[in-house]
Amino acid sequence: MFRLFLLAALSLGTVGACTTSPRLSIEQSAIAVAPTSMAIENQFDSASDFAEGAALVQFGREFRYIDHSGRLTVTPKMELEAYAPFSEGLAIVRLGGLFGYLNRQGDFAIEPKYEQASKFQEGLAAIRVNQRYGFIKPTGEVVIPPKFEMTSGFSQGFAAVKLGDKYGYIDQTGKTAIEPKFDDAWRFSAGLAAARIGKKWGYINQGGQFVAQPQFDGAFNVADSMGRIRVGDRWGYVDLSGKIAIAPQYSFASDFSNGLALVESNKKWGYIDKSGKFIIEPKYEFAASFTDGLAPVKLGEKWGYIDPNGSIAIAPQFEEAGSFYEGLARVKLNEKWGYIRKP
């Protein structure tokens, strides 16, 4: 069953023993240094990707936000139970078991009072009150009263919602756009959304008509004009017309990005183009999708980065590695997290 919620309690990585990296008190700024590969020194117990100019990092049991130089940029006025990255200028936080939103000044933009909360998307955020979901503005004003059992949040002007035992879609005024008639439903992307009838998934358009009839055991987000599908335990892709573009054949498949998709074949990971041809042969123990022109890959016991031609851009040297966002990627070295800059 489709569930977007919730990313409010952030768990970013395992805590390691102390290393030669200097320890910082939480009052100090995170130190930005420039050794061979680090842009922000590896000193954090966990770290998030950068979003909207800030990343969430962990010092011991405390969380703070840093900017691209490694300086503390948002300091909450009180200690909170859980934090999330910023989205549309606000970050989900938890206090006393309830969720609210933090602004860039470290104050509550919206006091913690919700059972659950999602990040703001397209100007609205889903919140739960008395086991029902509705939507609020960044001011905290309720624009769609809580009455739904579940929701996807808004995308392309629509949100999937559950009423009774069926899913449909609403617009940003709360008006029904597609009547509840599906047994499960995903958010729209590229004008299509995955929807399930019985045990089979297909794709619908924004008029609610199936462009790919329910026939798949799984159907997922459309990205870069391709939708991921699963038949049995094999993964493939459909195009925007709903036709199968790459027959299900992979052990796993990720979304397309800039014309390439990460897939698993024979317990190794590689990258295919939209014809299904391997552009980068499956040879990696693990890997992630391309962002900002580079992809993290694991060779042996270490992580590094490759370019879209499969050439090594950053030699494998890290214990763990994230994708590049806003020119920086989080990496783990000597059991601590820091950031490297895109070469």
Side-chain angles (χ1 to χ4, degrees), residues 9-66:
L10 183 65
S11 177
L12 295 169
T14 57
V15 176
C18 296
T19 71
T20 55
S21 299
R23 296 177 63 85
L24 298 178
S25 66
I26 196 64
E27 292 81 11
Q28 290 177 288
S29 294
I31 302 171
V33 296
T36 304
S37 58
M38 303 302 296
I40 301 173
E41 185 182 358
N42 51 309
Q43 59 195 293
F44 310 117
D45 295 311
S46 66
S48 78
D49 297 324
F50 271 92
E52 299 186 3
L56 179 59
V57 297
Q58 181 184 3
F59 298 83
R61 298 181 64 180
E62 300 183 37
F63 290 85
R64 292 293 182 267
Y65 297 89
I66 60 171

Side-chain angles (χ1 to χ4, degrees), residues 103-122:
N103 63 24
R104 293 279 185 163
Q105 289 71 49
D107 297 313
F108 288 127
I110 302 171
E111 293 284 336
K113 56 185 174 181
Y114 305 113
E115 298 163 358
Q116 290 185 341
S118 73
K119 65 182 181 180
F120 277 89
Q121 296 173 296
E122 300 186 358

Side-chain angles (χ1 to χ4, degrees), residues 291-309:
T291 61
D292 209 8
L294 297 177
V297 296
K298 187 178 184 183
L299 277 170
E301 296 300 316
K302 298 296 183 181
W303 286 82
Y305 293 82
I306 59 171
D307 66 21
N309 297 316

Side-chain angles (χ1 to χ4, degrees), residues 14-301:
T14 57
V15 176
C18 296
T19 71
T20 55
S21 299
R23 296 177 63 85
L24 298 178
S25 66
I26 196 64
E27 292 81 11
Q28 290 177 288
S29 294
I31 302 171
V33 296
T36 304
S37 58
M38 303 302 296
I40 301 173
E41 185 182 358
N42 51 309
Q43 59 195 293
F44 310 117
D45 295 311
S46 66
S48 78
D49 297 324
F50 271 92
E52 299 186 3
L56 179 59
V57 297
Q58 181 184 3
F59 298 83
R61 298 181 64 180
E62 300 183 37
F63 290 85
R64 292 293 182 267
Y65 297 89
I66 60 171
D67 64 17
H68 288 179
S69 69
R71 297 185 180 90
L72 295 178
T73 183
V74 179
T75 302
K77 300 298 174 61
M78 66 178 69
E79 288 303 320
L80 302 167
E81 297 166 0
Y83 303 78
F86 278 89
S87 176
E88 297 189 9
L90 298 177
I92 302 168
V93 294
R94 188 180 70 203
L95 181 65
L98 297 175
F99 295 94
Y101 295 85
L102 195 72
N103 63 24
R104 293 279 185 163
Q105 289 71 49
D107 297 313
F108 288 127
I110 302 171
E111 293 284 336
K113 56 185 174 181
Y114 305 113
E115 298 163 358
Q116 290 185 341
S118 73
K119 65 182 181 180
F120 277 89
Q121 296 173 296
E122 300 186 358
L124 297 175
I127 47 87
R128 192 177 80 180
V129 178
N130 295 326
Q131 302 297 313
R132 290 293 182 269
Y133 292 96
F135 290 86
I136 60 172
K137 291 181 178 180
T139 60
E141 177 189 353
V142 176
V143 292
I144 300 174
K147 61 180 178 179
F148 306 108
E149 284 93 331
M150 192 64 63
T151 182
S152 67
F154 277 94
S155 176
Q156 297 194 313
F158 294 83
V161 295
K162 185 181 182 184
L163 270 175
D165 61 353
K166 296 294 182 181
Y167 285 80
Y169 292 83
I170 59 172
D171 64 20
Q172 291 188 331
T173 69
K175 180 181 177 182
T176 298
I178 300 174
E179 291 292 332
K181 56 185 176 181
F182 309 109
D183 295 309
D184 205 346
W186 284 72
R187 63 177 53 232
F188 275 96
S189 57
L192 298 180
R196 178 169 61 86
I197 299 291
K199 295 183 177 181
K200 297 297 183 180
W201 289 83
Y203 286 93
I204 60 171
N205 59 24
Q206 292 180 341
Q209 291 83 38
F210 276 102
V211 298
Q213 292 298 316
Q215 59 190 290
F216 310 116
D217 296 312
F220 303 88
N221 185 52
V222 175
D224 201 7
S225 76
M226 302 283 275
R228 290 188 296 144
I229 57 169
R230 179 177 59 82
V231 176
D233 63 354
R234 299 285 102 178
W235 294 71
Y237 297 87
V238 297
D239 61 23
L240 292 179
S241 72
K243 296 179 180 178
I244 293 178
I246 301 174
Q249 58 193 281
Y250 308 109
S251 302
F252 187 78
S254 67
D255 289 339
F256 269 90
S257 174
N258 296 318
L260 295 177
L262 173 68
V263 298
E264 183 186 15
S265 180
N266 297 321
K267 298 183 179 180
K268 295 288 185 180
W269 296 84
Y271 299 82
I272 59 170
D273 65 14
K274 291 183 180 180
S275 72
K277 176 185 176 182
F278 274 105
I279 301 302
I280 302 173
E281 291 295 324
K283 58 184 176 182
Y284 304 109
E285 277 71 30
F286 293 104
S289 297
F290 278 92
T291 61
D292 209 8
L294 297 177
V297 296
K298 187 178 184 183
L299 277 170
E301 296 300 316

